[in-house]
């Protein structure tokens, strides 16, 4: 292995915690479902960071609890059983848990049992915004009082960061937390580790895989061969006391140079319609692509760990739609253009690339054998930052598939 | 009130009061007796005990999984059992239940690495099938091969590193272990370890309070284990201040490891101290003199490890700065004990 | 009190041998096939407790041998090859084994080899009763003289136990060993460990899963919410010198109270047609449900270990049919009513529940993490009894799938 | 286990290296593809001994390189990308490798990176003969200068060995290295370890599995029940300084006796048309069956390790065809007769037998539990020879499926 690789063993040791995070970072906010996937009184089971989670909506409010009965471990969501609005019962022997506290509040066939009130299942804080349901996935003993606001685990916001991260080439990116924000998107399971997926999101060196994408040619976009860092401060890490921890890449400024030619290979990019965008990523692994796929729209991505070899890939486009008509227009454009050409089309190539990397990393050897280069400053910076600011390393799932 | 006595397997007996109608296990838990239990409902059989004197019966209406023959032989489940008189029970575990009982293991030497002018890092791997659980801060006794003499060292590694364990060892002119390590020791040689020992360990219940660590020389080993344990704990990390010192810069070690910890732990601050010839960024003086006004809050918990004089000075200084003496934990760490 | 003290994993559990029996108990009688699954001169291969077993019927008599050639380990049953009535040959290199003794009696292409007569494969004692074939699955060195009678591994019999276990609410249960007993049933593979399956069989706290079953409502049965133990002697263990080792539950006596209400959840069971039954279980894991699904019929179940994560689930209904007409009537009722509404229908819910528990126990964590309650007196008593009286713990399969 | 088995633990220790070679022997020549599977400018990915290999043909010449990008480990063959005739590029971030040397010669979007020229991927020597492409699968540091000629890893040749291994019953076997040799055949994946497969190839004791094959009866062949060694020198090992290392079996000479009867089982072979042939095997596991399936034709087989539980099974018939007409006739006969009746038909029984043995050996217990006999002198001799002369034991695959 070449000495010229940028991830020497010393650099590697700086992100050892990241290498240990095969099952994800715990004690963070993650998207669980779109709002319309959990109608009133429905029960759904998901898994994040190896933890099975059951969600139920009652009178509009959403509750999330560990989806593993304290009695003999079956998933409550496997056969949803609710006798009232305050509880969820296990379908097997009727252990019944308070939705709000998780406490074992009765047992169907054993109303006087001594265990009642003394045990229970972990509950997970829930937030619903702009059509998405977020869950704070935590360790069993993580105290309510320490739960940070959702905004701490969401991308940087604008215009409040416009001064810190100016962007003359496009309008201030909307946020899912903005008033009238509408989040449209999809999620699907990716068959690979979440870190491999995440690193692809803000990797400036992989434009090659998108060279033949329909949207690029339909809209006559000019994509460079790649984008190279030209200065030490090409990436700013954000480690403020409050708010999200992450990194911003100064793309399409003088700190990064687009590569338009490779002489040796006789490659040259020509054209006029530059497609400007900027990527940033914050813990626990949330990508923001500003000005993408068009002005006034922002793309978010999550790579939510399910197990050590699967993740839920979320692609979400956010736009602020103050009026009903704006909403309809946006939905129409999403359905006709964005969904097929961007979320599929363009991003399918990313999903393919991520899954193609999985074998290399799955047996653990890839982390040692990879030979990173200058452009990999992005994943390396991310790995170090994530090692420092994560709120805990998830343990391998217990008693789950 | 009935008086109930538990006779442990290690010969220790402890007594507590049980009100009439009260379940014996509930009273034992309230009295902080070492007891093992799980379901508290008469099912799992973890709280099994053998009645050796007196009268104790399963509460009327409560079920238990004991077979009739077991009841006849005196077996009781403390969680569903009431005392009808003063009575005593034998239990199958020791009064250290829940603690790690010291035992002997064998380990193979992986490496002996010189890390400073007078210190080495010893890395060993436990023999197949042997195991050692310990709390960060506790120590083991290592037998010097051939001489049979014992020396005490704390692992600088953590429990999740087992079967690997790492120790920091000061090299003394003509010390028994020092001679062995510098002249004889080689890969795959077998060492005998006994442990864990000691009540100097990280207090789980205080893990969210601000921490101050004061380490002199190889007294850094248990402190590193504590810092790494806190790092591995999820959730909010406490502010941590480490003051670590040696006589001279060339006697210092593990500085890269500390840099790495600072990279991983935004809440960790370090002060590196030397008595003589400080380099750039080092504190001139001992690790106690590096402590200053504002370092201590009323709930600060402190761990001190090093020579006795350093511990005494640090204790005085911490109290002076506002620390609660009950929150100061220390281990004297002289090179040859 | 420190957290560690609540963790029971540090003490050797009272039923550790049971926890070790992932591959089953060996040196016991297990059902292998229904008689009509092995016609004259047929050869069939099965697997029990990790041991591959080949059965052949010759002139009505059944032989069972280890289904793994001593030469290079292929299964004899994979391509049945028999040149006469006394032997079975391996289809690969012609190693030929005596059906009765298992001894290597010749090699097709090597009739003088010195190995002949000096080695062989283990044979398994066979019994055929009431349309079922039982095999005594043993360790290679378990002596013929120690093989217990089949009746030692079958449920308690009546009326000989009627005094010991009186049952005023129903007629004496028939036994598969009774004259003119007819066993009708089915078997299928359950995807979970055999212990998880077995414990469900006599678990009095899981009636909830059967609440919506067709047979319950078609026949207007009243099933309580659950059945609670009310006294110390709610279960009698049978540990006599001779005969089966197991436990009898005193259901529908004053030692167990049916629970008909749960105030907290607003649940109340009403009705008249009580459905009385009683469950017992004996080693190596045989369930008997007396008076089920109707008078004069008894239901047996086996959960025969195949591997550590699969078992063969046997459901058998036994009735004494002295005349040919009785037999026909019984067969007709079995085909029209029992098979669809009981063996499927009702019991499908049990199979579902057992498989739903598998993840929790499969990685070994469930045995430590489960939180049992009062009603779990049944499985706990069984675990202790089984730990005490089993004839051996099966080792993981060697050289098998 | 009987004391009479021929593979005592002492014998076993003599072939320990062979028992360690689950992933194959490295630093040997293996068939990769048929020539017509790699047309001009095509790129194909295969795997041998756990090493992913990509092949590209440019201007007729074939290049083989490690199919695992040094950057982040994806397979180059997953989305072939070549910008010129001298290189192959990784489709992900454009790392571009010199076809001839494997050196990283540029990066599409990073033409000045300092890593360029300092690292690269291993190349594998290639030889193409008689319609087959061979690759020398080597360890990364195996020097070019040590690469042996292909002929060292191919079967013994005739007539140059006719004096050493006379064969009055048939004409000298052709070789794939002969002028005008034509190799026709097929390859497919076998689901088992390569050693199990290989040993079946020259096993003289398994004729039983072919007893009912169509070709045997269509052509009235007489196959004995088996062939027994009658003398100590029934097998000659070839361990010359130069040339292939392997063993020749003196079949159909006085050193082996065909077995035509088994009294005990009442079996007797009768007939006139003896079917004479001879098997030999050389490292790294290449079978030659002379005079098979007819005169002037020879059958080669390879069992190329893919992983520890899969191999690529190659069946190739070689005939010398000096004229175009000879070629056509041979192809016609191959298509109409050999392919269906020999490569399928006859050899399908072998593939079946090999896969049937896999369970026994897959968990490692088979190597200890097998009980070999006199006829197993063939595999035992092979195991010892292979232990002695292999050029390296392949390590488990790294970062591959
Ligand atoms: S498993 Fe949930 S109540 Fe028993
Ligand atoms: S494997 Fe059965 S005879 Fe060879
Ligand atoms: S993985 Fe091949 S260039 Fe990046
Ligand atoms: Fe992309
Ligand atoms: Fe049931
Ligand atoms: Fe064959
Ligand atoms: Mg997995
Ligand atoms: Mg016999
Ligand atoms: Mg298994
Ligand atoms: Mg070359
Ligand atoms: Mg494999």
């Amino acid at each position: 292995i070449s000495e010229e690789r940028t991830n020497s063993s010393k650099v590697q040791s700086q992100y050892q915690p990241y290498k240990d995070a095969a099952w994800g970072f715990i004690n963070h906010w993650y998207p669980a479902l779109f709002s319309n996937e959990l109608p009133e009184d429905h029960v759904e089971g998901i898994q994040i960071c190896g933890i099975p989670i059951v969600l139920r909506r009652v009178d509009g409010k959403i509750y999330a609890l560990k989806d593993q009965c304290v009695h003999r471990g079956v998933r409550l969501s496997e056969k949803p059983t609710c006798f009232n609005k305050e509880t969820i019962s296990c379908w097997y022997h009727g252990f019944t848990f308070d939705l709000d506290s998780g406490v074992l509040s009765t047992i169907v066939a054993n109303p006087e049992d001594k265990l009642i009130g003394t045990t229970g299942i972990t509950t997970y804080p829930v937030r619903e915004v702009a059509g998405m349901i977020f869950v704070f996935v935590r360790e069993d003993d993580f105290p309510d009082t320490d739960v940070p606001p959702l905004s701490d685990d969401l991308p940087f916001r604008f215009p409040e960061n416009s001064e810190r991260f100016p962007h003359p080439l496009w309008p201030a990116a909307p946020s899912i937390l903005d008033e009238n924000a509408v989040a449209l998107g999809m999620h699907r399971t990716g068959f690979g580790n979440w870190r491999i997926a995440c690193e692809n999101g803000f990797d400036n060196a992989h434009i090659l895989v998108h060279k033949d994408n329909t949207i690029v040619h339909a809209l006559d976009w000019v994509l460079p061969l790649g984008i190279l860092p030209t200065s030490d401060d090409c990436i700013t890490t954000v480690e403020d006391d409050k708010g999200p921890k992450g990194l911003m890449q100064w793309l399409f400024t003088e700190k990064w140079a687009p590569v338009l030619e490779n002489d040796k290979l006789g490659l040259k990019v020509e054209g006029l319609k530059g497609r400007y965008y900027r990527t940033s990523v914050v813990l626990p692994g949330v990508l923001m692509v500003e000005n993408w796929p068009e002005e006034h729209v922002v793309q978010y991505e999550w790579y939510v760990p399910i197990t050590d070899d699967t993740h839920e890939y979320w692609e979400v486009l956010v736009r602020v739609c103050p009026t009903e008509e704006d909403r309809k227009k946006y939905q129409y454009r999403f359905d006709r253009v964005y969904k097929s050409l961007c979320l599929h089309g363009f991003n399918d190539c990313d999903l393919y690339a991520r899954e193609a990397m999985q074998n290399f990393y799955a047996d653990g050897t890839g982390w040692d054998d990879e030979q990173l280069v200058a452009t990999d400053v992005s994943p390396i910076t991310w790995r170090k930052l994530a090692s420092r600011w994560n709120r805990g390393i998830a343990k391998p799932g217990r008693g789950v598939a | 009130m009935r008086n109930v006595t538990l006779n442990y397997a290690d010969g220790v007996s402890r007594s507590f009061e049980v009100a009439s109608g009260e379940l014996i296990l509930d009273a034992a838990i309230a009295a902080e007796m070492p007891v093992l239990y799980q379901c508290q409902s008469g099912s799992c059989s973890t709280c099994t005990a053998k009645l050796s004197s007196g009268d104790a019966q399963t509460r009327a209406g409560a079920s238990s999984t004991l077979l009739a023959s077991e009841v006849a032989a005196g077996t009781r489940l403390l969680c569903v059992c009431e005392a009808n008189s003063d009575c005593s029970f034998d239990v199958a575990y020791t009064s250290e239940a829940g603690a790690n009982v010291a035992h002997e293991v064998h380990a193979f030497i992986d490496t002996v690495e010189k890390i400073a002018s007078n210190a080495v890092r010893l890395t060993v791997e436990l023999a197949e099938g042997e195991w050692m659980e310990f709390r960060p801060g506790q120590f083991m006794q290592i037998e010097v091969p051939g001489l049979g003499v014992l020396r005490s060292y704390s692992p600088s590694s953590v429990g999740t590193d087992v079967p690997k364990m790492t120790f920091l060892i000061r090299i003394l002119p003509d010390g028994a272990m020092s001679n062995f390590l510098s002249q004889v020791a080689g890969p795959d040689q077998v060492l005998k370890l006994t442990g864990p020992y000691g009540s100097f360990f990280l207090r789980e219940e205080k893990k969210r309070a601000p921490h101050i660590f004061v380490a002199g020389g190889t007294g850094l080993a248990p402190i590193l284990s504590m810092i790494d344990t806190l790092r591995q704990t999820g959730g909010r990390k406490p502010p941590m201040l480490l003051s670590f010192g040696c006589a001279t810069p060339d006697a210092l070690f593990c500085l890269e490891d500390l840099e790495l910890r600072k990279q991983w732990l935004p809440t960790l601050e370090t002060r590196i101290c030397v008595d003589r010839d400080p380099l750039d960024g080092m504190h001139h003086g001992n690790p106690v003199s590096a402590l200053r006004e504002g370092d201590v809050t009323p709930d600060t918990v402190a761990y001190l490890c090093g020579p006795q004089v350093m511990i005494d000075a640090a204790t005085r200084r911490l109290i002076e700065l506002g620390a609660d003496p009950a929150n100061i934990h220390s281990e004297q760490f002289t090179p040859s004990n």
Side-chain angles (χ1 to χ4, degrees), chain A, chain B:
Chain A
I1 284 182
S2 168
E3 293 301 309
E4 305 298 331
R5 60 192 253 176
T6 62
N7 56 333
S8 62
S9 67
K10 187 173 164 198
V11 171
Q12 286 191 43
S13 71
Q14 291 178 335
Y15 55 77
Q16 183 61 45
Y18 184 80
K19 286 165 77 175
D20 295 337
W23 289 77
F25 292 129
I26 194 142
N27 305 322
H28 282 277
W29 288 96
Y30 288 100
L33 292 170
F34 283 111
S35 294
N36 60 20
E37 293 176 304
L38 191 72
E40 177 62 19
D41 211 27
H42 273 233
V43 170
E44 289 292 336
I46 59 168
Q47 182 167 305
I48 296 179
C49 295
I51 299 177
I53 296 174
V54 59
L55 295 112
R56 183 184 178 203
R57 189 192 289 269
V58 183
D59 290 343
K61 190 174 169 193
I62 298 166
Y63 300 88
L65 302 98
K66 186 177 283 192
D67 194 13
Q68 193 173 50
C69 184
V70 293
H71 183 217
R72 304 203 60 181
V74 301
R75 296 192 71 159
L76 308 179
S77 64
E78 194 143 345
K79 191 175 163 187
T81 303
C82 300
F83 294 108
N84 57 35
K85 292 190 164 190
E86 288 76 40
T87 62
I88 184 167
S89 294
C90 179
W91 52 271
Y92 200 164
H93 310 92
F95 276 47
T96 298
F97 304 95
D98 188 71
L99 285 175
D100 198 52
S101 65
V103 168
L104 177 68
S105 66
T106 188
I107 300 175
V108 167
N110 206 348
E112 314 293 335
D113 199 275
K114 216 176 150 244
L115 198 63
I116 292 167
T118 70
T119 188
I121 48 183
T122 304
T123 60
Y124 304 99
V126 177
R127 281 283 317 272
E128 188 170 20
V129 287
M132 288 182 66
I133 302 166
F134 292 88
V135 168
F136 186 75
V137 180
R138 60 174 165 182
E139 291 169 294
D140 294 333
D141 61 356
F142 189 97
D144 281 351
T145 47
D146 283 4
V147 177
L150 169 61
S151 56
D152 278 13
D153 288 346
L154 286 181
F156 309 123
R157 296 188 61 181
F158 296 90
E160 65 210 56
N161 272 297
S162 292
E163 212 156 309
R164 189 177 194 179
F165 301 120
H167 40 74
L169 298 169
W170 56 79
S175 161
I176 200 172
L177 295 171
D178 286 351
E179 205 174 344
N180 293 317
V182 178
L184 298 178
M186 54 186 276
H187 60 93
R188 47 184 159 162
T189 298
F191 295 92
N193 186 264
W194 74 276
R195 292 165 298 181
I196 302 308
C198 181
E199 293 182 359
N200 163 275
F202 53 91
D203 169 358
N204 303 308
H206 82 285
I207 303 178
L208 184 61
V209 307
H210 297 297
K211 152 171 103 65
D212 301 326
N213 287 168
T214 298
I215 195 164
V216 174
H217 300 280
L219 304 191
D220 273 333
W221 286 353
V222 176
L223 290 181
L225 294 175
I227 310 180
L228 279 181
T230 58
S231 106
D232 258 5
D233 58 354
C234 58
I235 294 174
T236 298
T237 61
V238 175
E239 311 181 64
D240 303 347
D241 269 6
K242 281 169 188 263
K245 309 288 191 280
L247 61 86
M248 171 60 81
Q249 308 201 84
W250 292 91
L251 303 185
F252 297 99
T253 72
E254 72 296 343
K255 296 172 185 171
W256 290 84
V259 179
L260 301 171
E261 276 192 70
N262 184 307
D263 275 353
K264 183 135 194 188
L265 298 177
L267 297 173
K268 188 160 186 171
V269 170
E270 273 162 359
L272 296 167
K273 287 176 74 175
R275 173 72 238 151
Y276 307 121
Y277 63 89
R278 188 166 67 178
T279 53
S280 53
V281 62
V282 300
L283 274 169
V286 195
L287 175 73
M288 171 166 63
V289 191
E290 294 173 66
N291 201 41
W292 189 273
E294 64 182 34
E295 294 206 341
H296 298 289
V297 180
V298 71
Q299 177 163 327
Y300 287 177
E301 297 191 16
W302 285 264
Y303 321 88
V304 184
I306 302 171
T307 64
D308 59 344
D309 54 13
T310 52
H311 66 279
E312 192 70 8
Y313 175 38
W314 283 76
E315 308 165 71
V316 172
L317 299 180
V318 177
R319 180 181 194 109
V320 175
C321 301
T323 69
E324 186 54 30
E325 208 193 312
D326 291 339
R327 236 166 231 271
K328 273 195 187 150
K329 240 173 81 183
Y330 177 47
Q331 180 80 53
Y332 189 89
R333 192 153 175 79
F334 175 81
D335 292 341
R336 294 304 172 287
V337 181
Y338 298 151
K339 190 161 181 190
S340 62
L341 294 190
C342 298
L343 306 201
H344 286 292
F346 198 87
N347 287 1
D348 282 0
C349 287
D350 290 306
L351 192 57
Y352 178 90
R354 293 158 191 170
E355 295 186 351
M357 266 195 292
Q358 173 66 4
N359 279 338
F360 191 58
Y361 290 89
D363 64 7
T365 60
W367 299 102
D368 296 331
D369 289 353
E370 59 175 14
Q371 292 192 29
L372 302 186
V373 282
T375 36
D376 291 311
V377 59
S378 308
I380 291 178
T381 307
W382 156 248
R383 291 174 186 184
K384 290 195 220 171
L385 180 121
S387 294
R388 189 166 159 85
W389 290 106
N390 72 79
R391 299 196 195 96
I393 308 228
K395 296 193 177 58
R398 262 181 95 86
V400 295
Chain B
M1 281 290 178
R2 316 286 192 198
N3 189 276
V4 172
T5 302
L6 296 180
N7 305 312
Y8 295 93
D10 53 357
V12 174
S13 292
R14 296 187 58 182
S15 299
F16 54 102
E17 299 284 300
V18 183
S20 92
E22 188 182 14
L23 292 167
I24 295 173
L25 180 70
D26 292 347
I29 292 170
E32 297 198 12
M33 291 294 116
V35 273
L36 294 171
Y37 63 91
Q38 190 222 340
C39 76
Q40 296 187 253
S41 66
S43 301
C44 75
S45 301
T46 305
C47 64
T48 299
K50 199 145 203 169
L51 185 64
S52 55
S53 72
D55 179 12
Q57 298 299 337
T58 298
R59 172 182 283 183
S63 66
S64 97
T65 52
L66 291 176
L67 311 180
S69 56
E70 292 171 326
V71 174
T75 305
R76 299 289 184 273
L77 298 179
L78 296 181
C79 73
V80 289
C81 189
E82 296 170 354
N84 298 333
S85 73
D86 287 357
C87 50
S88 66
F89 293 90
D90 298 336
V91 293
Y93 43 90
T94 70
S95 59
E96 302 272 317
N100 302 314
V101 180
H103 61 287
E104 183 183 287
V105 295
H106 298 83
F108 295 95
I109 294 179
D110 273 350
T111 54
V112 180
E113 189 191 346
K114 185 160 186 192
I115 53 174
S117 57
N118 64 347
V120 296
R121 178 191 281 120
L122 167 68
T123 305
V124 303
E125 181 159 352
L126 294 189
E128 183 92 21
E130 302 199 17
W131 203 251
M132 173 72 76
E133 278 181 31
F134 63 93
R135 299 185 182 193
Q138 287 189 301
F139 66 89
M140 276 100 228
Q141 292 193 323
I142 304 182
E143 187 180 311
V144 183
L147 297 181
V149 296
L150 299 175
R151 292 288 181 267
S152 300
Y153 303 102
S154 296
S156 58
S157 54
V158 296
T160 51
D161 294 333
V162 176
K164 294 245 188 223
M165 295 175 88
T166 304
F167 300 89
L168 307 179
I169 295 174
R170 182 166 166 203
I171 296 299
L172 295 166
D174 233 23
M177 184 64 88
S178 303
N179 286 345
F180 168 74
L181 288 177
S182 46
Q183 292 159 29
V184 187
D188 292 335
Q189 246 178 325
V190 180
L191 293 178
K192 239 191 288 177
L193 276 66
T194 316
Y197 296 109
S199 54
F200 178 67
F201 52 76
L202 190 74
R203 305 293 147 157
E204 275 286 311
E205 63 278 15
K206 299 265 175 63
K207 69 181 178 204
R208 291 159 65 85
H211 283 58
I212 291 179
F213 303 103
V214 183
T218 51
L220 182 65
I223 302 296
L224 276 178
S225 182
M226 292 182 186
I227 290 174
D228 276 343
T229 300
L230 286 169
R231 175 173 71 80
Q232 288 180 347
T233 310
R236 217 179 71 205
K237 308 284 193 295
M240 285 169 261
L241 169 63
L242 166 66
S243 191
F244 164 53
C246 289
T248 55
D250 72 329
L252 288 167
F253 46 84
C254 288
L255 297 188
E256 267 192 35
D257 297 274
L258 292 176
E259 274 313 302
L260 217 44
R261 275 26 176 213
K262 276 166 58 180
Q263 155 70 24
W264 297 339
L265 279 168
T267 60
L268 173 65
E269 179 190 345
T270 60
R271 292 179 198 156
I272 307 301
C273 315
V274 285
D275 298 326
R276 297 189 299 279
D277 314 323
L279 304 180
D280 218 24
M282 288 178 184
H283 172 84
H284 190 176
N286 64 43
V288 179
S289 70
L291 298 175
R292 49 184 184 245
E293 215 61 56
D295 285 344
V296 175
T297 61
D299 58 339
T300 291
V301 36
Y303 299 90
L304 324 174
C305 192
Q308 190 62 47
V309 282
M310 184 209 84
I311 289 173
D312 294 342
T315 306
R316 277 194 307 274
R317 179 64 174 147
L318 287 165
I319 292 171
E320 182 182 303
L321 291 171
D324 178 347
N327 287 339
I328 300 174
H329 309 278
S330 63
E331 180 110 296
Q332 188 205 350
F333 210 81
T334 59
S336 63
N337 73 345

